[in-house]
Amino acid sequence: MFRKVAQLPLDYDLFKGKNSIFNWSPAGSVIFGNGSVARTGQEIKRLGGQKVVICTDEGLVKFGVVQKVTDSLEEAGVEYIVFDKCEANPSVETVEAVVELAKNVDMLIGVGGGSSIDPAKAAAILITNGGNIRDYEGCDVFKEPPLPVIAIPTAAGTGAETTPFAVITDVQKQWKMAIGGSYNIASLAICDPELTASLPPMFTAATGMDALTHAIEGYVSRALDPISEPILEQAIKLIAGALRRATFKGEYDKDSRYDMMLGSTLAGMGFTNTILGIAHSMAHPLGAMFHVPHGVGNAICLPVVMQFNMSANPEKTAAIAKLFGKDVSNMDLMEAAQVGVNCVFQLLEDLPIPPLSNWGVKESDIDKLAEEAMKGGDRWTNPRETTIDDFKALYVKCLKLKK
């Protein structure tokens, strides 16, 4: 018999500190380390699972990543069905397809990035709550605990394995929905850095910048709490030190892959409790309207947004410079903060991230993008208040970046 664990409502009150009462909802259990994917089957059996659906994509099946999971399931005697149609921005229709397959299973497994883990989470909600996934947009809307989800990330980026959100695209509305709740955290995350070893450079760079965006936006958030703060600092430090090596030497540099996976997982734990900022508000419509991969959108928006936010939280922005290894001890606060911003601009310049123009984004699209960005929930925890004109100006600056 497993003991009860409190499932608290998500708490995003602003300005948490020493004199505040706040909730901190940790992730589900985490198994971390090289080769840990081999434990999948035995852990599912330990949790009482007999039959599962695996949510993944065709590429991960083709390159043998999913077989490492299924080998473990077969060894443990766990039945499985593979759904390999998950797309980059998982849709309402994908969630519905998973639900159809998963009506008579005990658990769901998401193998991949957020594009595989998020539809698993969303389908798990529908299986126990019914209705349409559109019914559950927002925080703590669903009532019944979802079917258990096992999250196995294959990229160091989204942090979906440790967060209480599933982001699902409503193609009809060109809108990305966030469905959140503490019950929506995966029951178990199995984080095996070796699964990321064969990721190509651009994908490594984009997912890594996604993780860095989570860490930095959580760190400067107006909802930062004293528990998340050191977790996010460690995430920034790990990613800053490892992302270039993982991108360009990742096939044989196991240490960089390990640090990136750990940094991504920590970032997910941290921003679960702080929410994010307007880089995410801007990246979501880029994905919904132009299919810009989420990590690419975040990578381009992050340094531009940091420059915009710098004066609202210079202390934390200056601290980011230190976490990147820069000596700012003899600088005044704003000068040190600018170094923090410059570190991220330089990182973007060094990485193989394609510009927004490659995805068909034009200046004539900015008004619509800004309107959609204004709807983003992450706007409320951003360090600086943002108007629609601010978003328009920020998108112009992002479009002018060549990389």
Side-chain angles (χ1 to χ4, degrees):
M1 179 67 67
F2 291 99
R3 67 185 177 91
K4 292 280 188 180
V5 177
Q7 297 289 335
L8 301 172
L10 298 180
D11 172 22
Y12 300 122
D13 289 338
L14 304 184
F15 307 113
K16 300 171 187 174
K18 292 181 179 179
N19 297 317
S20 301
I21 296 174
F22 62 90
N23 298 347
W24 197 86
S25 297
S29 297
V30 176
I31 297 173
F32 191 99
N34 292 327
S36 58
V37 71
R39 290 177 55 175
T40 304
Q42 71 186 65
E43 292 300 329
I44 286 175
K45 292 288 282 190
R46 189 178 67 82
L47 291 169
Q50 300 292 329
K51 186 176 181 180
V52 302
V53 166
I54 300 171
C55 298
T56 190
D57 63 59
E58 292 177 343
L60 291 172
V61 172
K62 178 181 177 181
F63 292 108
V65 176
V66 174
Q67 185 175 345
K68 294 182 179 181
V69 177
T70 57
D71 285 349
S72 178
L73 297 179
E74 289 172 7
E75 185 178 344
V78 176
E79 294 183 57
Y80 61 86
I81 302 167
V82 177
F83 175 85
D84 64 358
K85 304 302 180 185
C86 293
E87 67 270 63
N89 294 298
S91 64
V92 171
E93 290 74 20
T94 294
V95 174
E96 292 170 347
V98 174
V99 171
E100 283 300 309
L101 282 179
K103 287 181 176 178
N104 297 305
V105 304
D106 308 302
M107 297 179 188
L108 295 165
I109 304 177
V111 181
S115 59
S116 297
I117 296 171
D118 283 359
K121 289 181 181 179
I125 292 170
L126 290 188
I127 290 167
T128 58
N129 287 269
N132 185 287
I133 197 60
R134 296 181 180 91
D135 301 334
Y136 302 107
E137 183 174 6
C139 290
D140 299 305
V141 179
F142 59 91
K143 303 300 181 186
E144 297 299 323
L147 208 66
V149 172
I150 311 300
I152 304 177
T154 61
T158 67
E161 68 275 11
T162 58
T163 68
F165 289 94
V167 179
I168 304 298
T169 300
D170 187 330
V171 177
Q172 296 175 15
K173 296 181 178 179
Q174 293 189 319
W175 175 248
K176 283 192 170 187
M177 302 178 292
I179 297 101
S182 58
Y183 276 118
N184 204 28
I185 297 174
S187 300
L188 174 65
I190 300 177
C191 304
D192 187 338
E194 290 183 347
L195 296 182
T196 70
S198 61
L199 290 178
M202 194 196 95
F203 196 83
T204 299
T207 55
M209 286 297 288
D210 190 15
L212 182 65
T213 306
H214 296 152
I216 287 177
E217 291 210 297
Y219 188 55
V220 302
S221 166
R222 293 198 295 153
L224 183 67
D225 63 77
I227 298 176
S228 299
E229 183 172 2
I231 292 173
L232 292 165
E233 286 178 338
Q234 181 68 1
I236 296 169
K237 185 176 181 180
L238 285 166
I239 296 167
L243 182 50
R244 289 180 178 88
R245 289 186 291 121
T247 298
F248 298 112
K249 301 191 294 182
E251 285 194 46
Y252 54 87
D253 189 336
K254 286 190 174 183
D255 287 349
S256 68
R257 292 295 191 184
Y258 187 99
D259 287 352
M260 284 303 303
M261 179 66 83
L262 185 55
S264 174
T265 300
L266 291 173
M269 289 180 178
F271 90 78
T272 286
N273 297 280
T274 65
I275 297 297
L276 297 160
I278 60 170
H280 272 77
S281 299
M282 296 174 67
H284 284 152
L286 287 170
M289 294 170 59
F290 295 96
H291 307 291
V292 177
H294 186 61
V296 171
N298 273 332
I300 293 168
C301 295
L302 177 61
V304 173
V305 166
M306 287 179 69
Q307 187 74 69
F308 174 79
N309 283 335
M310 185 180 77
S311 59
N313 196 341
E315 294 83 5
K316 285 291 186 286
T317 311
I320 289 168
K322 297 178 185 178
L323 295 169
F324 268 77
K326 301 298 183 182
D327 182 3
V328 294
S329 56
N330 294 322
M331 299 179 185
D332 65 36
L333 180 60
M334 295 306 293
E335 186 180 6
Q338 187 62 57
V339 172
V341 175
N342 292 346
C343 285
V344 180
F345 269 116
Q346 186 61 57
L347 184 58
L348 176 63
E349 176 67 24
D350 293 344
L351 296 174
I353 302 289
L356 288 181
S357 58
N358 280 28
W359 307 93
V361 184
K362 304 180 293 295
E363 285 206 28
S364 58
D365 302 310
I366 285 176
D367 285 357
K368 177 61 175 175
L369 285 166
E371 289 174 10
E372 295 300 306
M374 282 291 289
K375 301 174 185 176
D378 297 306
R379 197 161 59 90
W380 305 109
T381 48
N382 192 68
R384 182 173 167 183
E385 291 188 12
T386 318
T387 67
I388 192 166
D389 287 336
D390 291 327
F391 276 124
K392 290 177 182 179
L394 290 168
Y395 276 121
V396 168
K397 290 178 180 178
C398 289
L399 266 175
K400 289 181 178 178
L401 292 178
K402 300 303 180 185
K403 287 189 65 177

